[in-house]
Amino acid sequence: ISLSAAAKIIRKGSKDWSAVDWAKLEEDWEEGDEPEELAREDEFLKAEMERKKAELEAAGPPDVRRLSRMDPHEARQAVANAQASGQGGPTMMFVDLKPEAGQSGVNQEEGRTWFEDDLKWISTQWMDLLKTAGFDVTLYNIEGDRLLASIQKGWLGDDIRNFFLTRPEVSMVTWNGVETNSLDYVEL
């Protein structure tokens, strides 16, 4: 009998919960916390973007002497990357897949060469690999053989582009208007 009496005491009705002062309760929880502990994730991201933008602005434009020693395609990519990275915010890139690389064979329906299940599988695998490496990337299927990569921290785009170019399923990556064929990519 004492157990059921205790259950009645602990159980609150909807009227009891509406009487709770939620603002006061939140204040009590925050009491004694440091400002860093109270910051939200979006505030951390915004501060990181502003800090990175300031660093890139302080660094200035790419070194012209270094650019003159590069082949024209690499120099164009370096300038485009510097411009995009200088924004310090999100960026996106397009990833073109090799038509013959789909797991289920070649799909000839509707002008697509990759099956939807294969695209979901490869997108999930790549997002997991990138997340494990600390990159926040979301992939979207925008065409039959093309993915859109949305990158929250644009200054990491160069590393993410390099990741895609090392995948055997990728034929080309387009970032900042510069197309890089996976066959032309040399991993350093």
Side-chain angles (χ1 to χ4, degrees):
I1 295 179
S2 65
L3 183 59
S4 64
K8 288 180 181 176
I9 293 171
I10 295 173
R11 197 170 132 219
K12 287 184 176 252
S14 61
K15 293 178 184 173
D16 297 331
W17 286 111
S18 63
V20 173
D21 183 3
W22 295 106
K24 171 108 173 77
L25 181 63
E26 190 170 341
E27 275 182 32
D28 291 344
W29 282 344
E30 291 175 354
E31 189 175 307
D33 287 344
E34 297 294 322
E36 301 88 42
E37 295 170 331
L38 298 174
R40 296 185 318 263
E41 187 174 342
D42 62 323
E43 293 170 340
F44 282 120
L45 182 59
K46 183 179 178 186
E48 186 177 8
M49 285 181 182
E50 289 172 356
R51 185 174 53 255
K52 188 64 178 177
K53 186 174 181 179
E55 285 175 17
L56 292 167
E57 286 174 356
D63 182 13
V64 177
R65 291 178 301 227
R66 189 175 67 90
L67 290 175
S68 65
R69 290 190 301 266
M70 294 180 168
D71 77 77
H73 180 74
E74 285 180 12
R76 213 172 30 254
Q77 183 71 54
V79 170
N81 293 351
Q83 290 171 344
S85 298
Q87 297 169 1
T91 190
M92 60 183 174
M93 61 182 67
F94 297 95
V95 181
D96 293 318
L97 303 172
K98 293 177 182 173
E100 69 282 355
Q103 298 241 332
S104 303
V106 177
N107 179 3
Q108 297 299 333
E109 301 171 11
E110 305 169 15
R112 297 171 170 243
T113 56
W114 277 67
F115 288 97
E116 194 68 31
D117 289 343
D118 290 347
L119 287 169
K120 287 179 184 173
W121 181 83
I122 198 85
S123 295
T124 303
Q125 182 186 41
W126 288 350
M127 285 190 295
D128 290 346
L129 286 169
L130 288 162
K131 180 78 72 183
T132 301
F135 298 109
D136 186 15
V137 178
T138 306
L139 292 171
Y140 302 96
N141 175 20
I142 56 171
E143 294 175 14
D145 296 347
R146 192 170 229 207
L147 300 172
L148 169 68
S150 174
I151 303 153
Q152 199 61 26
K153 298 176 182 176
W155 58 90
L156 301 174
D158 206 30
D159 293 327
I160 294 167
R161 178 186 58 94
N162 294 345
F163 166 82
F164 287 132
L165 290 169
T166 61
R167 305 291 94 189
E169 302 87 357
V170 173
S171 66
M172 182 174 60
V173 174
T174 305
W175 183 41
N176 301 326
V178 178
E179 296 177 344
T180 306
N181 192 314
S182 62
L183 299 175
D184 298 336
Y185 176 72
V186 178
E187 190 173 5
L188 300 176

